[in-house]
DNA sequence: ATGATTGCAAATGATTTGCATCATA
DNA sequence: TATGATGCAAATCATTTGCAATCAT
């Protein structure tokens, strides 16, 4: 799909650096950190500043184009192009992060009606056997 | 229960500062951050250093006496005296964090047998209506 | 030229580390 | 007195901010 249009529809001016960041985050990367984005940019768009990387990622989050995720094992934020409701599996050996859609994982709660639940985030942590 | 004994059984020398930190974290506090512990200590044990607070909390985590938790809305670590399997509700207005035991929240997954799941962490985010 | 965007460097916040001092077995 | 614990300050890591230079409209 057309990234330029997506940005424009969100009211974000599609500058060269923003488009390049989006190409990576939306089409190529898998749950990158800001630092992953910066490293990739260093090789594909010389001279972007780290500030621009953060500014752009935060813009994308504010406009719902990506989601930010904080995982239990690491204080850093990772960015997820999948903005629908879903959960995650984290491989504790490799750090690999796999999206789990709601059909693969269900969360059921019995909280009283005074709890107004807006969001559910589950993380399964373990190992994926190579076979 | 006897905190001094608990530390000794874990092989941790029960110094005055450690005992005082434990009294707060294990008996009084509710999901405190390192900074919460430091503030409380400032009023109950003048002159503890922040380093000692962190060292002690990390010791407690290493010995399984408390659990560390990283929540989605905030990069800081919070410490949980409840070390059994349980989940959390986070009030997005107040920041209040409530433990949910497994009878209140169930996570079911249909992942292939190549996934060896060791840990499940669910966070429900929303509001608790005051009534 | 006007306002938005960028890059740089300095600031911030959380946590860790190095090291000299201190307490206690 | 030897080992380990503490306090302090400096270091580190992730992220944010201020501001001047630059770009696009």
């Amino acid at each position: 799909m057309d990234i330029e249009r997506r940005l424009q529809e969100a009211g974000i001016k599609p500058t060269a650096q923003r488009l390049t960041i989006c190409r990576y985050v939306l089409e190529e990367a898998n749950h990158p950190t800001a630092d992953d984005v910066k490293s990739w940019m260093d090789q594909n768009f010389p001279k972007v500043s780290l500030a621009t990387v953060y500014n752009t990622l935060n813009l994308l989050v504010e406009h719902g184009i990506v989601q930010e995720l904080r995982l239990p094992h690491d204080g850093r934020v990772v960015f997820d192009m999948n903005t629908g409701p879903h959960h995650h599996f984290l491989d504790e050996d490799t750090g690999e992060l796999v999206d789990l859609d709601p059909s693969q994982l269900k969360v059921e709660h019995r909280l009283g009606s005074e709890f107004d639940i807006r969001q559910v985030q589950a993380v399964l942590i373990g190992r994926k056997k190579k076979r």
Side-chain angles (χ1 to χ4, degrees), chain A:
Chain A
M1 85 209 52
D2 187 357
I3 290 177
E4 188 160 352
R5 182 147 311 161
R6 251 184 111 180
L7 293 185
Q8 270 164 342
E9 278 167 13
I12 300 174
K13 197 171 295 184
T15 65
Q17 20 281 74
R18 286 173 180 170
L19 284 169
T20 312
I21 289 172
C22 283
R23 240 167 251 132
Y24 178 59
V25 172
L26 300 179
E27 299 181 337
E28 193 165 331
N30 179 250
H31 302 101
T33 63
D35 218 66
D36 293 334
V37 177
K38 177 66 163 72
S39 301
W40 187 89
M41 288 295 281
D42 285 342
Q43 273 151 275
N44 293 271
F45 195 110
K47 294 220 248 173
V48 241
S49 74
L50 187 53
T52 297
V53 168
Y54 274 104
N55 286 340
T56 300
L57 290 170
N58 288 338
L59 253 193
L60 296 177
V61 170
E62 282 159 28
H63 288 82
I65 295 171
V66 305
Q67 245 186 281
E68 76 178 21
L69 226 62
R70 250 176 262 266
L71 296 167
H73 66 307
D74 185 345
R76 288 178 302 180
V77 168
V78 306
F79 296 89
D80 194 340
M81 57 153 296
N82 181 348
T83 57
H86 66 287
H87 304 285
H88 294 92
F89 165 79
L90 170 67
D91 189 305
E92 62 187 4
D93 289 336
T94 65
E96 187 196 4
L97 197 55
V98 180
D99 281 2
L100 304 177
D101 74 81
S103 72
Q104 300 174 90
L105 186 152
K106 285 199 170 62
V107 177
E108 276 173 40
H109 62 85
R110 304 209 186 307
L111 298 188
S113 60
E114 71 272 25
F115 288 90
D116 172 20
I117 304 300
R118 304 279 180 92
Q119 224 190 112
V120 179
Q121 300 196 6
V123 183
L124 306 187
I125 301 169
R127 294 176 184 168
K128 190 165 55 163
K129 295 169 201 147
K130 37 182 173 297
R131 53 165 58 176

